[in-house]
Amino acid sequence: MTAAPVIILEGVTKRFDAAAAIDDLSAAIRPGCITGLVGPDGAGKSTLLRLIDGLMVADAGRITVCGLDAARAAPMVHGIAGYMPQRFGLYEDLTVRENLVLYADLRGVTGAARRETFARLLAFTDLERFQERLAGRLSGGMKQKLGLACALVQKPRVLLLDEPSVGVDPISRRELWRMIGDLVDDGIAVIWSTSYLDEAERCAEVLLLHQGKLLHAGPPAQLTRRMDGRSFLVESEGHSRALLARALARPEVADGVVQGRAVRLVMAAGAPAPDAAMLGIAGALTVRAVPPRFEDAYVALLGQAAIRTAVPDPAVASPTESGVVIEAHGLTKRFGNFLAAADVGFAIRRGEIFGLLGPNGAGKSTTFKMMCGLMRPSAGSAAVEGIDLYRAGSAARRRIGYMAQKFSLYGDLSVAQNLRFFASAYRLRGARRHARIDWAETEFELGPMRDATARDLPLGFKQRLALACALMHEPEILFLDEPTSGVDPLARREFWRRINALAETGVTVLVTTHFMEEAEYCDRLVIMAQGKVLAAGEPEAIKQAARTAARPDPTMEDAFIAVIEAPRRPARAA
């Protein structure tokens, strides 16, 4: 027998000024399962979670949580609901234990109950070893675990998680899922907001929002089944990025992403399977039907109107040579006794997309900053176009466009003011300055938002603005540090189509990412852990090295986890 809902939403509407963040939404959430909350930036996901938790009051409709009116009995709702906000909401200048103490004080958990709860949560999250570490010095995955522990100081009947896996590596994501699975087994109702559609696919039910409206409520498989017969894996003799660009220009193709040496295509409703004639391929073409994914249905339902096929910057010249343009030799960085990076080395060719992967705390960002010239190594060297980054750093940096992990533009300035500032910072003058600003506003569709304050932009537009500023001076090299963290799937597609187009013109890209499907776009990559390079090569080769009898066709995530966990396994006896 199906359990009675613990959360009931009836005609819920919430407006901010004239816009409806939530528009006449009705749904029911059951206990003992995970309900996924998905949708593009600005869909209303965070607003809905705050309404359920009683942190906001709806303009119309009614929300009941375990029989309590969320608006009229908000303090009582707070007592039975655990809420983990999207942004790290803990105190970074307090230790792990001090944060737990604070939340226990707020929840009235004292004495023996507190000691028992702390012991259970520290073991549950594997944070016992880090009790005295400042929260601000935790890795991304550890911060998320601490946030979850604080939300569970008093065992909730309802757990609301707003993007808990943003910026978290695949291993930590799996650990979070394991922990939440244990809670679900205890009958807790969990709402998990996520931008990872593979996570949504694992949920018992999904609420799909768009512009505040509920487009789908029910098991994700219901939506996925609509896509039967429309998904194909296509491989040609040429480069997968070029094949994808060619395919996306065809009206018969609804969606496409790079998947190693192949391209995964979703055909429009009623369109035939792709073939060489349709795609304009002269050579051999291998086409294989594959099962649809929830992501296919998501993109088809929301429509491709939200995704523009990127136009290469006409000012960037086509590549004339394919030599090495970025080199790292024995890069090492110590912070006191801590070795953040150890003897890291690689070479990146012109027009190549090169990925740096690794779990939180692996040394990726440290290596990345050394490669940008933002941090001097303790040992080793790095060069851009043959220019030593630490002897002639300014000359090298003029060739680099940099997009930071966190939104690094000026939040108090408008879109137009940020563009003008970066144009001046890159010493653009006169007609060229005006032309580049006009190009950025047109290419990234920033014109209608030019007077908006940067910090108030939706995340997808913040990303567009950051990339536009990084490209303002037409760099030959682009450094991207987790550029799509927290961005919805449609915005990620748009972003990568731009990056692919730039790479085709000869721009060299160094990128760090926790999205394993983005690693598939890389020509080559390295996987790091504890400051060391554990694996290097083409994505397909790294996946094949992880193949086993039990896992004959490993995903990039499977391969990543296999590489990271291999050093931890005991060696077999000879």
Side-chain angles (χ1 to χ4, degrees):
M1 186 172 69
T2 303
V6 293
I7 301 173
I8 300 175
L9 308 162
E10 301 173 282
V12 177
T13 297
K14 180 64 179 178
R15 293 184 175 276
F16 296 103
D17 298 325
I22 300 294
D23 191 358
D24 192 26
L25 189 151
S26 296
I29 308 298
R30 296 184 291 109
C33 69
I34 301 176
T35 298
L37 188 59
V38 298
D41 295 327
K45 303 186 294 296
S46 294
T47 299
L48 181 59
L49 291 178
R50 291 171 186 152
L51 289 169
I52 293 171
D53 196 42
L55 299 173
M56 289 181 178
V57 177
D59 298 319
R62 187 166 184 259
I63 302 173
T64 57
V65 180
C66 299
L68 299 170
D69 187 296
R72 297 179 181 177
M76 296 179 69
V77 171
H78 298 333
I80 61 173
Y83 174 55
M84 185 175 167
Q86 183 174 359
R87 295 181 181 178
F88 185 61
L90 306 180
Y91 292 87
E92 297 204 350
D93 54 351
L94 297 182
T95 66
V96 167
R97 189 170 189 86
E98 287 168 342
N99 269 285
L100 288 172
V101 168
L102 175 62
Y103 273 77
D105 288 344
L106 292 173
R107 294 285 191 176
V109 179
T110 60
R114 174 181 292 199
R115 290 191 294 273
E116 180 183 339
T117 298
F118 282 13
R120 175 175 53 83
L121 290 175
L122 289 169
F124 180 60
T125 57
D126 195 27
L127 289 173
E128 191 168 6
R129 298 167 291 161
F130 307 103
Q131 291 183 61
E132 304 308 318
R133 182 174 295 186
L134 292 176
R137 296 185 61 187
L138 297 174
S139 69
M142 292 165 68
K143 284 181 177 180
Q144 297 300 76
K145 290 180 183 180
L146 176 57
L148 179 60
C150 289
L152 297 173
V153 161
Q154 188 177 60
K155 187 175 180 180
R157 294 179 63 186
V158 171
L159 183 60
L160 309 173
L161 305 174
D162 196 358
E163 303 270 9
S165 49
V166 165
V168 174
D169 65 76
I171 293 175
S172 296
R173 277 209 296 146
R174 289 195 178 187
E175 290 175 352
L176 281 172
W177 268 94
R178 175 189 56 77
M179 290 188 286
I180 299 303
D182 291 342
L183 297 174
V184 166
D185 291 342
D186 288 341
I188 294 174
V190 177
I191 303 181
W192 182 305
S193 171
T194 181
S195 57
Y196 290 87
L197 294 186
D198 62 322
E199 288 184 346
E201 202 159 22
R202 297 171 62 181
C203 295
E205 295 189 350
V206 164
L207 303 180
L208 174 53
L209 302 183
H210 181 54
Q211 296 179 345
K213 291 186 177 294
L214 184 63
L215 301 187
H216 173 79
Q222 283 183 355
L223 207 56
T224 305
R225 280 196 293 268
R226 301 181 190 179
M227 306 301 294
D228 285 345
R230 292 173 56 181
S231 302
F232 298 88
L233 205 60
V234 181
E235 188 171 355
S236 71
E237 296 174 352
H239 202 290
S240 56
R241 288 202 300 268
L243 175 60
L244 177 62
R246 188 182 293 271
L248 290 174
R250 299 293 307 176
E252 301 93 338
V253 177
D255 185 34
V257 294
V258 169
Q259 192 167 318
R261 297 191 183 113
V263 170
R264 193 175 191 281
L265 298 181
V266 179
M267 307 307 291
D275 58 27
M278 175 192 296
L279 301 178
I281 302 295
L285 190 72
T286 302
V287 178
R288 175 165 59 93
V290 292
R293 302 186 299 205
F294 179 76
E295 186 168 334
D296 301 338
Y298 176 99
V299 174
L301 185 61
L302 292 179
Q304 285 291 83
I307 303 176
R308 293 175 63 244
T309 300
V311 178
D313 181 358
V316 178
S318 297
T320 57
E321 55 180 311
S322 57
V324 171
V325 295
I326 302 174
E327 295 178 272
H329 298 285
L331 282 181
T332 299
K333 183 65 180 179
R334 294 183 179 86
F335 297 98
N337 294 326
F338 177 66
L339 188 62
D343 196 28
V344 176
F346 49 76
I348 308 174
R349 297 184 290 269
R350 188 178 308 281
E352 191 171 36
I353 300 178
F354 190 90
L356 277 179
L357 277 62
N360 297 112
K364 301 186 306 297
S365 292
T366 299
T367 300
F368 195 86
K369 289 173 182 175
M370 289 190 287
M371 293 304 303
C372 294
L374 299 175
M375 181 184 291
R376 293 191 70 89
S378 305
S381 63
V384 170
E385 296 277 13
I387 302 172
D388 189 301
L389 275 168
Y390 314 115
R391 294 181 180 176
S394 59
R397 282 192 289 271
R398 281 197 292 269
R399 300 170 181 262
I400 297 171
Y402 176 61
M403 189 170 167
Q405 183 175 355
K406 295 180 180 178
F407 183 62
S408 59
L409 305 183
Y410 292 90
D412 292 329
L413 298 184
S414 69
V415 169
Q417 288 169 333
N418 267 287
L419 292 173
R420 290 198 296 269
F421 172 81
F422 276 86
S424 297
Y426 288 125
R427 301 180 182 179
L428 304 185
R429 301 287 185 269
R432 185 176 178 227
R433 179 175 183 268
H434 291 298
R436 294 303 293 166
I437 291 173
D438 288 344
W439 169 82
E441 289 186 353
T442 301
E443 173 62 22
F444 292 89
E445 297 180 326
L446 296 171
M449 310 185 86
R450 65 190 319 273
D451 296 322
T453 304
R455 71 157 50 91
D456 297 329
L457 294 174
L459 189 56
F461 276 92
K462 284 184 178 179
Q463 183 203 59
R464 290 188 193 184
L465 176 59
L467 182 58
C469 291
L471 294 173
M472 185 64 67
H473 59 307
E474 304 166 66
E476 302 164 34
I477 297 163
L478 192 56
F479 282 16
L480 308 171
D481 194 5
E482 295 194 31
T484 59
S485 182
V487 176
D488 72 77
L490 295 180
R492 285 206 301 272
R493 274 169 166 71
E494 178 187 2
F495 179 86
W496 275 99
R497 290 178 191 179
R498 294 180 188 279
I499 299 305
N500 289 340
L502 287 168
E504 290 300 309
T505 67
V507 174
T508 306
V509 180
L510 176 63
V511 60
T512 69
T513 182
H514 283 315
F515 287 93
M516 292 299 102
E517 65 266 29
E518 292 185 349
E520 301 272 18
Y521 284 98
C522 298
D523 297 291
R524 291 183 300 129
L525 51 87
V526 298
I527 298 178
M528 298 180 63
Q530 298 180 333
K532 299 178 181 179
V533 174
L534 301 184
E538 295 182 3
E540 198 64 29
I542 292 175
K543 285 193 294 184
Q544 293 310 310
R547 177 184 286 180
T548 64
R551 192 176 53 215
D553 190 19
T555 65
M556 194 66 234
E557 182 168 315
D558 293 331
F560 175 90
I561 292 173
V563 168
I564 298 301
E565 292 185 342
R568 306 176 187 174
R569 300 189 191 107
R572 293 181 180 179

